[in-house]
Amino acid sequence: DATKIYVRLPGNRGAYADIHAADSRSDLAVLKLIGGRAGPLKAVALGDADRAERGQFVLTLANPFASGFRDGQPTASWGILSGIRRRAPLSLKEEERIRPFHHYPTLLQTDARLHLGSSGGALLNMKGELIGLLTSLAAIQGLETPGGYALPINAGMRRVIDVLKRGEEVDYGFLGIAFDENPPEGQVGVQLTSVGLGTPARVEGKLERDDILLGINDQPIRNGDDIYVQVAMHLAGSKVRLLVRRKGKEHVAEVTLAKLHVPGKSIASSPGSRPYFRGLRVDWGSLLVQQQLGRPYPAGVMISEVQPNTNAERSE
């Protein structure tokens, strides 16, 4: 809910910034500098967090205790990756189904010393590539901690970042299934308990109740969290390959994802693929299924906005 943002840079430079786009699920925002003395900037090279291994050395660049407030110079620290695919140590209400990424096993864990204010800092590999963004959990108690967490920069997160860089809303993928959140120990895959009528999963009989989902895009599925993470890392309109076992026989189904309804605030400076057309702005029909549980997937689209003083507003 910031109303004014100022970005400080090394060399006593800086500029005010607008929020170009922001997304609550990934907890990311892209800022656009306006005016000021920002000068030419060199972007950090992006690495691949999926190649990171437990025990490798890492560096952090951050501003603990607002140490760079005056000169814009970040503070460096070092450590190792003590864990990968970790989840944030926070509890959530059961009704909060659509959780931020840090509540799933996606995070990188480091033993580098992190203080209050390290949130948003860079986690770098020894090549100087960005493999993670430090989270606000770095020092949740406001004191020095023996380690912290970082949101990984991998292929899935790059897709989210690319959308935000264009100033657009992030359309996360929606499959349309329900499943056993905690499958029996030793069971391979996750058994589906229902498949929504008309949803991407149900179209052409791609998935049915009691099917066992074994993998998504060659990534094995062991529990419900694996499904949430793999589907979330693909955007609406993209195709995913599902490895399914039905009545003892395995087959591969290709499904085009619809859009997931994500509660919370998002900011977009560009309409992207949804500009006004004849006074209307439309969105994916799959949003209606999730907001009004029990209704079948609609054949059309959902009207999300009506432009004032247009024929669309005046019509019935």
Side-chain angles (χ1 to χ4, degrees):
D1 298 320
T3 57
K4 184 177 290 188
I5 298 172
Y6 189 82
V7 178
R8 296 182 184 275
L9 301 166
N12 293 319
R13 294 181 300 162
Y16 284 100
D18 288 331
I19 301 177
H20 189 55
D23 173 63
S24 60
R25 195 178 193 199
S26 63
D27 196 26
L28 292 177
V30 171
L31 304 182
K32 185 175 183 179
L33 301 180
I34 50 177
R37 295 176 290 122
L41 301 175
K42 183 178 180 180
V44 64
L46 297 183
D48 185 0
D50 288 342
R51 295 179 178 271
E53 296 181 352
R54 186 169 53 248
Q56 77 175 59
F57 285 99
V58 289
L59 301 173
T60 65
L61 289 176
N63 283 283
F65 303 124
S67 58
F69 179 77
R70 295 190 179 277
D71 60 10
Q73 293 284 358
T75 297
S77 182
W78 67 277
I80 65 169
L81 277 185
S82 50
I84 56 177
R85 290 187 286 277
R86 300 297 197 201
R87 70 174 77 233
L90 291 178
S91 61
L92 274 181
K93 298 177 182 178
E94 283 297 319
E95 61 267 22
E96 293 177 341
R97 287 183 57 253
I98 310 303
R99 305 173 181 178
F101 285 137
H102 56 261
H103 289 287
Y104 295 113
T106 59
L107 300 179
L108 301 175
Q109 185 179 13
T110 176
D111 70 347
R113 293 190 178 276
L114 301 172
H115 304 263
L116 185 67
S118 296
S119 163
L123 183 71
L124 308 168
N125 60 21
M126 299 309 289
K127 296 180 181 180
E129 298 170 333
L130 182 72
I131 60 171
L133 289 171
L134 303 178
T135 75
S136 57
L137 301 167
I140 200 69
Q141 303 299 327
L143 302 172
E144 182 178 296
T145 66
Y149 300 87
L151 191 70
I153 301 298
N154 52 22
M157 198 56 62
R158 284 193 191 192
R159 285 190 282 268
V160 173
I161 293 173
D162 286 341
V163 173
L164 295 176
K165 285 168 63 177
R166 296 196 300 267
E168 300 173 8
E169 177 187 353
V170 181
D171 293 344
Y172 290 103
F174 170 71
L175 190 54
I177 59 175
F179 45 82
D180 183 3
E181 295 277 356
N182 299 297
E185 187 174 351
Q187 176 180 303
V188 178
V190 173
Q191 186 168 13
L192 307 186
T193 57
S194 69
V195 181
L197 290 174
T199 61
R202 187 71 172 267
V203 173
E204 298 178 2
K206 296 292 178 69
L207 293 177
E208 295 180 0
R209 181 177 178 177
D210 295 330
D211 283 353
I212 296 178
L213 185 57
L214 302 173
I216 299 177
N217 281 358
D218 301 324
Q219 296 297 317
I221 297 300
R222 298 172 293 270
N223 51 48
D225 281 350
D226 288 340
I227 297 178
Y228 285 125
V229 171
Q230 290 302 321
V231 173
M233 288 291 98
H234 294 82
L235 304 180
S238 59
K239 295 182 181 294
V240 295
R241 297 185 312 280
L242 310 177
L243 178 60
V244 182
R245 180 186 296 141
R246 180 180 299 169
K247 298 179 180 179
K249 295 183 179 181
E250 295 183 6
H251 70 277
V252 175
E254 189 174 79
V255 174
T256 300
L257 298 177
K259 181 180 176 180
L260 178 71
H261 168 64
V262 178
K265 186 177 181 180
S266 65
I267 298 174
S269 58
S270 170
S273 61
R274 294 188 293 277
Y276 280 110
F277 178 73
R278 296 184 178 179
L280 298 177
R281 179 176 286 164
V282 299
D283 212 326
W284 290 76
S286 58
L287 298 176
L288 289 172
V289 177
Q290 300 158 72
Q291 294 178 44
Q292 301 176 25
L293 297 178
R295 68 178 296 172
Y297 191 100
V301 296
M302 180 187 77
I303 297 175
S304 59
E305 290 184 51
V306 178
Q307 204 167 19
N309 302 318
T310 63
N311 289 334
E313 184 188 50
R314 289 187 287 269
S315 68
E316 297 181 0

